[in-house]
Amino acid sequence: MRSVAFFSGGKDGLYALYLAEKRGIKVPYLLALKTSIGLSPHWENFDALKIIANAMGKTLLTFDMAEGGDSLARFIASLEVDYLIAGDIFLEEHLKWMEWLAEKAGVKSLEPLWGRNTLELAEEILNAGFEYAIIAVNKEKLGKDWLGYKFSSLEDLDVFLDKNPAVDPLGERGEFHTVTLSGPLFRERFKLEKLSIEKSEKYWWLRFKVMRDD
């Protein structure tokens, strides 16, 4: 069984990939989407995504969503995979789009995180050895001083939630976005180097590099 996984560098998608591989599903391809709606802090740091994908030994593919969903389905079908993996948890609109896309592409949709409790899931991700940092915050929900905050342990999670009790532990309501810096999928670990803080209509976000952390 082979699969392609949606990839932004964030923790949720990579943990979904990790769980799929534990089931025996091979994931040779990562697929990064260039959004046609607004700014993506992940896409703006695409050079970092290439480094992360290389550290996992995966082939990084890209698709411009300006070409439309039908074209994306045809692209996925051309990869001759069995599954399409994503890290959605409880956003129903995303789940329905995934199911539609998978059906159009002639593959199965795989959402290993769907319906999970986000606090339990955050703890599970950290206990599995993943480390990640915040690269974007919703201006209405979280202060820009949290940009670059690194989650390496349950203590880091506790500190964050103690100071932000109204924020979802995984940012599942759009409060924040992350980049993964280390974990069981990686051949090396990274640290985040902040280049600048940028502002969009919705986010404070980082331009950054990922550097080997020896």
Side-chain angles (χ1 to χ4, degrees), residues 72-143:
L72 175 58
R74 289 192 292 271
F75 178 72
I76 292 169
S78 73
L79 300 176
E80 298 183 346
V81 294
D82 304 291
Y83 290 95
L84 174 62
I85 299 171
D88 298 309
I89 302 172
F90 57 65
L91 295 180
E92 194 76 32
E93 182 180 350
H94 289 188
L95 179 69
K96 290 180 178 178
W97 182 73
M98 268 285 291
E99 292 172 342
W100 172 85
L101 183 61
E103 183 178 358
K104 291 282 287 186
V107 301
K108 297 176 182 178
S109 171
L110 182 59
E111 293 269 18
L113 312 186
W114 183 255
R116 295 284 308 275
N117 176 281
T118 52
L119 177 57
E120 293 177 359
L121 192 52
E123 294 172 346
E124 187 177 305
I125 291 171
L126 290 167
N127 282 332
F130 286 85
E131 297 181 320
Y132 52 91
I134 294 176
I135 61 164
V137 296
N138 185 309
K139 293 188 295 185
E140 297 181 356
K141 299 181 179 181
L142 202 58

Side-chain angles (χ1 to χ4, degrees), residues 29-43:
Y29 302 119
L30 304 175
L31 179 55
L33 300 180
K34 181 180 181 181
T35 181
S36 59
I37 305 174
L39 177 142
S40 166
H42 298 283
W43 186 266

Side-chain angles (χ1 to χ4, degrees), residues 37-67:
I37 305 174
L39 177 142
S40 166
H42 298 283
W43 186 266
E44 293 296 321
N45 288 287
F46 186 72
D47 285 345
L49 301 191
K50 290 190 289 185
I51 293 170
I52 293 169
N54 184 63
M56 293 188 287
K58 308 291 187 184
T59 299
L60 178 58
L61 308 172
T62 63
F63 185 86
D64 189 339
M65 286 304 298
E67 297 183 31

Side-chain angles (χ1 to χ4, degrees), residues 163-175:
K163 295 185 177 180
N164 301 285
V167 172
D168 183 84
L170 292 176
E172 184 65 5
R173 290 188 292 269
E175 297 98 330

